[in-house]
Each structure stands twice: as C-alpha cells, then as structure tokens.
Amino acid sequence: MRLTKEEQAWLDGGDGPATRRAMEIVVALASIYGAERLIPVESVQISGVSFRNIGDAGLDFLRRWADEGARVRVPTMLNPTAMDMVDWRCQGFDPDFAAKQQQVIDAFARMGVGEGTPVPTCTPYLIGNRPAVGAHVAWAESSAVSFVNSVLGARTNREGGPGAIAAAIVGRTGAYGLHLDANRRATVRVEVRVQPETISDYSALGALVGQQTRKAVPYFQGLALDAADPLREEKLKTLGAAMAATGAVALYHVEGVTPEAAFSIPTPQVSVLRKVTIDDLRSGYALLSDDVDAIDLVWLGCPHASLAEISRVADLVRGQTLRLPLWVTCARPVRAVAVEQGLIDVIEAAGGKVFADACVAIAPVRDLGFTAVATASAKGAYYLRNLAKVDAKFGTVGECVRAAIEGKWR
Ligand code: F3S
C-alpha cells in the first residue's frame, strides 16, 4: 500500500501512540480489503455508543485511547446511545447504567467528537451534516450509511466501531468498496408493482428487498417518488434502513430520484440484471411481526424522526389519552425545534414522550420492563427481535398510535 509521507510518519509513531494505533487499524482494514492507498474523509460517524452493547470492556478501550491523547481530525458524529442523556430517569434507566453511559459519551467528548459536545443520532443528515455528491466520508450506522451513499450520493463503506474511531483520528480510510466507481453500480433490478404510500410502506418494501438481495446494490424501478413529495427523504431513509437490516444493503438507486441512478446503470443494461419483483407489501409487515396482541410499548422514530414525523404523531394523538407508553426518538436539535413548535406539549399531554439521543433497539429493553414493542420501522422491529430479544409488532404509524390509544394491537 502506498502511504503519503505524513501517513507513514503517523504509522511510525511520529504523532504519538494514539495516532499510531489508529493508523494501524486503518491500514490493516485497508489491506484486508485490497486498498492500494488511503483517502481523506470529510466526516466520520461512530457507532458502538450504547453501554449495553460495549460494556465495561468497550468503555475501558475508549478511555485508554482518550488517555493516550486520541483526538479526531475531522468533524465526527456519534450514533444514538441507549438512553436520553437528560431524561433517562423517565425512561426507567438505572442510575448505575446511566452513569456508565455518560462515561462513554465523556470519553468521546475528550477525543473531540462533536467538537467536545457529541449529539448522538443515526440521522446526522437531519441536523445539517449533508456531504455533497462524491464526497468521501466514513460513517458507521447502517441506515445513515445507506442514506449518505444513496440519497446524498456521497461515498462510504459501513465502518465498524473501532474502524470509525480510527478513521476519525487520522481523517483517512482505505480506498476500497463503495469509495470506488466500479462498486457503486447496480447489481439487482427491483421492479415495484405495488405502490408504497406511507413511510412504513417503504419500510416494508425495504424489508422484502433486503431479505431477497442481501449485499446487492438494488436499482428500483416503478417507485413514484416525485420531487414535490414533502416526505420523500423520510421514505428513502426508512427504505434504506430496512434493507440494511434484513440484508446488508449499503447503497441503492431509485430511477429518476437518487443522484447516481443514471450513472449506476446504463439503460441498455437494465434488463440483463437479476430481477426481483415486489407486488405485495403486507408480507413485508408480516415478516417482522410476532404473533402477539398484547404489547407494552409503542416506539416511533427509527431511524430518528424528522420534524415532519414528530408533527404527524402530534396530529394523531392530539386530544387523546394514551393507554400505553408511546416513545418517539429523535436527534436533540430536532427535539428542540419540536419544543418550539409546541409539538412536544401535544404529545406529552396525551401521555407520550419524545426522547432525544436514544435508540430503543440498543437499550436494555427487558430490564426496562418491556416484552413486546410495536413500531412502524422494519429495522426497529428487526433489532427489537434480534438484539433486544423482545417480541415486535411492525405496522403503520397510524396502527402504532391506535395501539397506544386503545392499549392493545388490533
Ligand atoms: Fe437508528 Fe436505532 Fe433505528 S440506531 S435506525 S433508531 S435501530
């Protein structure tokens, strides 16, 4: 692998042990994937933030790296934590867990993540972090990776936890995978014969396509997503999130919609690709729904909710009295705007809560007392089942809110 003089000096320890350790990781990963050089990245998003997932071993690892003097070289963001960093008591977290989660955030802050004030979210693009078409970045959370690659047209592989931290410290990643033109071309054609309407319909569609295409680069045909659709980005974010969960899709194209669709597949070659046909979305909902009627939590905001999504929840619960806990998760700056607009008051008056920073799927859900959770996100349902180990019900936002109002799934 060719390294610049500066990169070689970092690898040789010229910038201290923290940078050397980061270079060793970045170079090792680049070598494994056959990269011939490193490329500068404009920004990094780090996953592996929930204390439930990383535990004491992960926390010690972060602290040691911070103690060694690790500092990020490029703007760096954090994935969600297990809990709302301010309102965790209301979620039922144990103070000991909360203290550990705070220490994880503190370690990242010492490294300069978020310029010392990390804002944990899986939708950094909703709070102003929107790389331009063709920009190289190193992001980690699978739905954010899908969005930045597909909807924004920037370039990233799905970075692992330590790999993303290392990339942030040296501002480099290997030139392989989705950083290269050749790997960004479509490999499967998806013919959509049933028109998804709601945001959760796009999630159900993504669940089916991810399951059938696994690591492919899907090229969607037949999706009616015009530029005037005010929820276009919400639909695309949940579509990508679902494909990343049931498959490992990190990049997709939508004919006439996403920035690289025209480049990704020259028209005469469309017909030679393997074709997947989707003509029913109910099976996408069923795929991620357990056979339970009794649920004890309704969770919306996966990926983290936009202002429009919070507004829709407020409209649905206005004047109602919820029988089940309803949690909406979002980025803290989005929540702040929702507060200004009175949306949080409406949701809380009905008995719901809007939590910042948090992701329910990576929280100790059972320890919080929940065993069955309803959600409008295929990705949320997938991880509730497989990571949080609770039953899941996947439906539309309307069905989820109705369950919260009526106290049971219908
Ligand atoms: Fe985000 Fe958690 Fe969903 S990280 S995409 S809210 S599973």
Side-chain angles (χ1 to χ4, degrees):
M1 180 179 310
R2 297 191 308 276
L3 297 180
T4 64
K5 279 188 184 158
E6 185 180 46
E7 291 163 355
Q8 188 61 57
W10 292 344
L11 187 59
D12 293 340
D15 193 47
T19 304
R20 182 179 62 208
R21 187 202 293 258
M23 274 302 284
E24 287 169 353
I25 292 172
V26 168
V27 169
L29 287 170
S31 301
I32 288 167
Y33 290 105
E36 294 176 353
R37 63 189 173 91
L38 304 182
I39 44 175
V41 290
E42 287 184 7
S43 65
V44 173
Q45 189 223 15
I46 294 171
S47 64
V49 180
S50 167
F51 179 70
R52 175 183 185 263
N53 289 355
I54 68 170
D56 282 312
L59 176 56
D60 286 347
F61 173 81
L62 293 174
R63 279 183 173 146
R64 277 203 309 276
W65 221 349
D67 289 346
E68 277 180 350
R71 298 292 178 270
V72 301
R73 274 191 168 76
V74 294
T76 301
M77 302 153 284
L78 276 194
N79 210 29
T81 61
M83 59 184 210
D84 186 307
M85 297 305 298
V86 175
D87 210 5
W88 51 268
R89 283 186 186 81
C90 182
Q91 289 182 287
F93 278 90
D94 175 66
D96 291 339
F97 182 98
K100 294 281 188 176
Q101 184 64 78
Q102 184 61 56
Q103 289 164 24
V104 172
I105 298 296
D106 292 346
F108 282 121
R110 284 168 58 209
M111 293 184 201
V113 173
E115 296 179 354
T117 311
V119 178
T121 181
C122 51
T123 56
Y125 47 86
L126 291 181
I127 54 171
N129 300 295
R130 297 174 72 92
V133 174
H136 293 280
V137 299
W139 289 21
E141 196 280 316
S142 65
S143 75
V145 164
S146 176
F147 192 93
V148 78
N149 270 323
S150 313
V151 184
L152 301 183
R155 299 182 170 210
T156 185
N157 292 310
R158 185 181 176 190
E159 300 283 347
I165 301 171
I169 293 169
V170 299
R172 304 283 195 282
T173 193
Y176 65 91
L178 295 177
H179 290 286
L180 307 179
D181 283 353
N183 299 322
R184 298 183 65 83
R185 295 190 181 278
T187 56
V188 174
R189 181 160 65 105
V190 181
E191 195 173 297
V192 183
R193 291 193 186 149
V194 55
Q195 208 46 242
E197 292 175 7
T198 63
I199 295 172
S200 56
D201 282 352
Y202 278 83
S203 202
L205 171 64
L208 293 170
V209 174
Q211 185 195 42
Q212 293 181 47
T213 65
R214 311 305 300 173
K215 277 185 131 179
V217 179
Y219 182 89
F220 286 89
Q221 292 183 299
L223 276 184
L225 262 176
D226 70 63
D229 185 338
L231 296 176
R232 188 164 94 139
E233 287 206 351
E234 282 81 356
K235 291 170 179 173
L236 292 170
K237 86 174 157 82
T238 198
L239 173 69
M243 287 190 288
T246 59
V249 173
L251 167 66
Y252 65 92
H253 305 290
V254 182
E255 191 172 61
V257 175
T258 55
E260 292 177 276
F263 144 83
S264 79
I265 178 159
T267 309
Q269 292 176 24
V270 171
S271 58
V272 305
L273 292 181
R274 177 168 82 88
K275 186 171 88 171
V276 167
T277 303
I278 304 292
D279 48 24
D280 163 47
L281 295 177
R282 291 312 309 178
S283 54
Y285 287 102
L287 185 67
L288 292 161
S289 282
D290 289 303
D291 189 18
V292 286
D293 294 331
I295 54 173
D296 35 35
L297 173 67
V298 176
W299 171 38
L300 302 172
C302 168
H304 272 177
S306 68
L307 201 58
E309 290 174 296
I310 296 172
S311 177
R312 163 120 164 94
V313 176
D315 286 345
L316 289 170
V317 303
R318 195 181 302 273
Q320 300 282 351
T321 302
L322 304 183
R323 293 188 182 174
L324 290 177
L326 167 69
W327 292 1
V328 183
T329 46
C330 64
R332 191 161 291 281
V334 172
R335 189 183 190 282
V337 179
V339 169
E340 280 171 20
Q341 296 190 357
L343 302 174
I344 306 293
D345 283 347
V346 172
I347 293 170
E348 290 190 345
K353 292 292 293 183
V354 179
F355 292 115
D357 314 317
C359 165
V360 172
I362 55 173
V365 183
R366 281 192 173 274
D367 294 348
L368 297 175
F370 303 117
T371 57
V373 182
T375 180
S377 163
K379 178 175 178 183
Y382 181 90
Y383 282 106
L384 285 165
R385 280 172 154 186
N386 294 300
L387 197 58
K389 304 291 183 195
V390 293
D391 287 330
K393 211 76 188 174
F394 170 37
T396 66
V397 172
E399 287 171 328
C400 288
V401 171
R402 188 176 63 196
I405 293 169
E406 296 184 353
K408 64 174 192 289
W409 190 265
R410 183 149 63 87

